[in-house]
Amino acid sequence: MDEQLRVTDCERCGGLVDLRSRIVNGVGPTDADLLFVGEAPGAQEDQEGEPFVGRSGDVLDEALRDAGLARPDVRITNCVRCRPPENRDPTSEELENCRGYLETEIDRVDPEVIVTLGKVPSEHLLERDVAVTSEAGELFDAQVAGETRRVLVSVHPAATLYDRSQEATFAATIERAGEFTDGGDQARLGEF
Ligand code: URA
């Protein structure tokens, strides 16, 4: 089933195709309770072919551990699967070109919660302006491909590297996400 979620030969974005080393697909179980969605691969992700393996990934992994979660238990993907040059934000056209792949991933994984890491994925899925710092840790409903999906807004892990005051916000958000996994408080509530 993971194979069905792998994009292997897309050439829709002229500005990305020639510069990328590879397409960076999502990783993690295809039946995960939590789906983390970032913006786009950075340099290290482009080299290794896996989302969040650079410094941001270290921050994410640590927060997951602190919340009693493990990286292999969650699914991690990006709005855009090819690295934008100079780590610029993806354009709205690039986001649109890649949208179908993300929608297919969300549909197949059918997570309890989608955690949007930073402004770009939060605004992409909620389809509105998002003040990430003040809305981090809050849950919202989003319409994705005709389904209502629960979205938990998070600051980007990299934000904690240049603004230490974001560390607690990020940690609390990941902790909240953990409540929706098997054994978490919200998951248990669903049993009653
Ligand atoms: N930042 C992102 O948004 N995605 C990655 O995969 C890595 C860093």
Side-chain angles (χ1 to χ4, degrees):
M1 160 122 132
D2 197 30
E3 276 317 298
Q4 294 169 16
L5 295 180
R6 291 185 70 76
V7 181
T8 51
D9 59 359
C10 183
E11 305 212 331
R12 284 182 202 164
C13 299
L16 305 185
V17 172
D18 292 341
L19 297 168
R20 74 179 179 211
S21 307
R22 55 184 52 75
I23 298 170
V24 179
N25 286 292
V27 289
T30 50
D31 61 350
D33 289 332
L34 301 181
L35 173 64
F36 289 81
V37 181
E39 182 177 313
Q44 199 156 338
E45 288 77 20
D46 174 72
Q47 283 303 311
E48 294 185 32
E50 181 166 337
F52 286 97
V53 288
R55 286 184 74 201
S56 300
D58 293 341
V59 175
L60 177 60
D61 289 354
E62 197 181 315
L64 287 170
R65 267 196 310 273
D66 289 349
L69 301 165
R71 183 178 171 99
D73 298 335
V74 305
R75 186 144 185 113
I76 308 176
T77 194
N78 279 306
C79 293
V80 167
R81 293 177 191 236
C82 299
R83 181 191 179 205
E86 316 295 330
N87 294 334
R88 63 158 170 76
D89 284 355
T91 63
S92 45
E93 192 184 344
E94 288 159 359
L95 286 163
E96 223 27 68
N97 285 343
C98 227
R99 173 94 188 183
Y101 303 135
L102 179 61
E103 287 186 354
T104 300
E105 192 160 21
I106 291 170
D107 182 58
R108 299 270 168 77
V109 175
D110 191 21
E112 291 294 320
V113 175
I114 299 168
V115 185
T116 49
L117 297 169
K119 193 173 182 70
V120 169
S122 300
E123 295 193 338
H124 189 48
L125 288 178
L126 293 173
E127 296 184 282
R128 63 169 173 82
D129 289 343
V130 178
V132 174
T133 311
S134 56
E135 296 187 48
E138 289 189 52
L139 274 175
F140 301 95
D141 281 343
Q143 291 300 313
V144 183
E147 294 284 333
T148 304
R149 299 289 175 185
R150 230 169 358 206
V151 169
L152 178 62
V153 170
S154 172
V155 297
H156 195 281
T160 67
L161 296 171
Y162 50 79
D163 177 0
R164 293 282 168 195
S165 72
Q166 306 265 10
E167 276 176 11
T169 312
F170 184 61
T173 303
I174 304 305
E175 186 122 345
R176 182 157 194 208
E179 293 172 9
F180 291 88
T181 59
D182 248 359
D185 286 348
Q186 295 294 328
R188 274 200 295 270
L189 278 177
E191 292 166 11
F192 295 100

